[in-house]
Amino acid sequence: DQQVKQNSPSLSVQEGRISILNCDYTNSMFDYFLWYKKYPAEGPTFLISISSIKDKNEDGRFTVFLNKSAKHLSLHIVPSQPGDSAVYFCAASNRNALNFGKGTSLLVTP
Amino acid sequence: GVTQSPTHLIKTRGQQVTLRCSSQSGHNTVSWYQQALGQGPQFIFQYYREEENGRGNFPPRFSGLQFPNDSSELNVNALELDDSALYLCASSLQGTIEQYFGPGTRLTVT
């Protein structure tokens, strides 16, 4: 059963606008959440993480928001750039394993 | 960074395969993931100080080794068609959450 869900397979955003990628989870025991970016023929690259005791973490253009009561997190990218076009994976940490969603393919158009 | 070999591999059903990974310098933990087409990576197992330190829902024909020199192996016996996937190795420091991925090995079982 999928404990981490990314319900939008794809998203298209204009350059300069905000990209919002969403993720839902079912297991309340997850203690950390992470976002990874993946380009074709490369492994996932770590972007940003957030502890379950926080509700926001910011790193440059990337901000992750966590809503524990709704078991929902989102990644905001502002402003979006063409180089951000990639597949984004949401992951949740359960002891030593990362549980991944299926990914959302982001396309940033000029 | 994390390196993996080979890049691509084609095997026949019933054969055995060994995939290799070299961790990022200074990292003492290695995890292996299987990513089927259109899915997120799935946790196979993790090794710390050369011992298995957690395992996902994979049968015993998936086994691993971690060596003192930061390298590790994933072995799969009695290959099945469903084993066709991208196999990702990730290294980390024990006690930290972020895992750093290699580019993966694409295994095709015919």
Side-chain angles (χ1 to χ4, degrees):
Chain A
D1 63 328
Q2 194 84 13
Q3 297 187 73
V4 178
K5 296 180 183 177
Q6 294 176 258
N7 292 319
S8 298
S10 62
L11 175 68
S12 183
V13 171
Q14 251 185 331
E15 181 178 6
R17 303 282 207 149
I18 183 171
S19 295
I20 300 176
L21 296 103
N22 293 303
C23 178
D24 298 295
Y25 62 95
T26 57
N27 188 342
S28 57
M29 299 302 291
F30 289 140
D31 53 3
Y32 271 90
F33 301 90
L34 305 88
W35 285 93
Y36 283 82
K37 176 170 76 172
K38 188 178 186 303
Y39 293 119
E42 293 184 14
T45 302
F46 169 71
L47 268 178
I48 191 169
S49 65
I50 187 169
S51 163
S52 61
I53 63 172
K54 295 191 173 180
D55 55 18
K56 179 182 174 181
N57 188 25
E58 196 170 351
D59 184 1
R61 295 187 298 116
F62 302 91
T63 303
V64 57
F65 294 92
L66 175 62
N67 182 335
K68 279 189 70 177
S69 59
K71 294 193 176 67
H72 177 84
L73 65 154
S74 60
L75 174 68
H76 292 210
I77 306 174
V78 184
S80 301
Q81 299 173 354
D84 295 330
S85 298
V87 178
Y88 288 77
F89 289 98
C90 169
S93 172
N94 183 5
R95 293 174 61 208
N96 43 22
L98 293 180
N99 299 268
F100 284 86
K102 291 187 179 182
T104 296
S105 179
L106 173 65
L107 176 65
V108 180
T109 57
Chain B
V2 180
T3 60
Q4 293 185 242
S5 63
T7 308
H8 294 90
L9 202 50
I10 300 175
K11 289 285 189 178
T12 303
R13 189 172 53 183
Q15 285 188 316
Q16 178 265 344
V17 70
T18 297
L19 310 181
R20 293 181 173 83
C21 172
S22 181
S23 296
Q24 188 166 312
S25 179
H27 284 179
N28 55 13
T29 302
V30 64
S31 304
W32 286 89
Y33 291 81
Q34 180 196 66
Q35 186 179 11
L37 206 59
Q39 305 293 317
Q42 268 202 293
F43 177 69
I44 302 175
F45 45 56
Q46 183 181 89
Y47 277 79
Y48 170 60
R49 290 186 176 173
E50 301 163 46
E51 303 237 341
E52 190 176 288
N53 186 41
R55 188 177 186 95
N57 190 23
F58 281 81
R61 59 190 185 84
F62 285 78
S63 63
L65 286 171
Q66 183 187 27
F67 303 102
N69 64 351
D70 295 338
S71 66
S72 61
E73 289 180 358
L74 164 66
N75 298 288
V76 187
N77 293 323
L79 283 167
E80 300 177 0
L81 296 179
D82 283 350
D83 295 334
S84 295
L86 179 69
Y87 288 85
L88 294 160
C89 163
S91 73
S92 58
L93 266 176
Q94 185 67 15
T96 64
I97 297 303
E98 297 84 4
Q99 297 183 14
Y100 296 88
F101 285 82
T105 294
R106 173 73 61 187
L107 173 65
T108 302
V109 182
T110 61

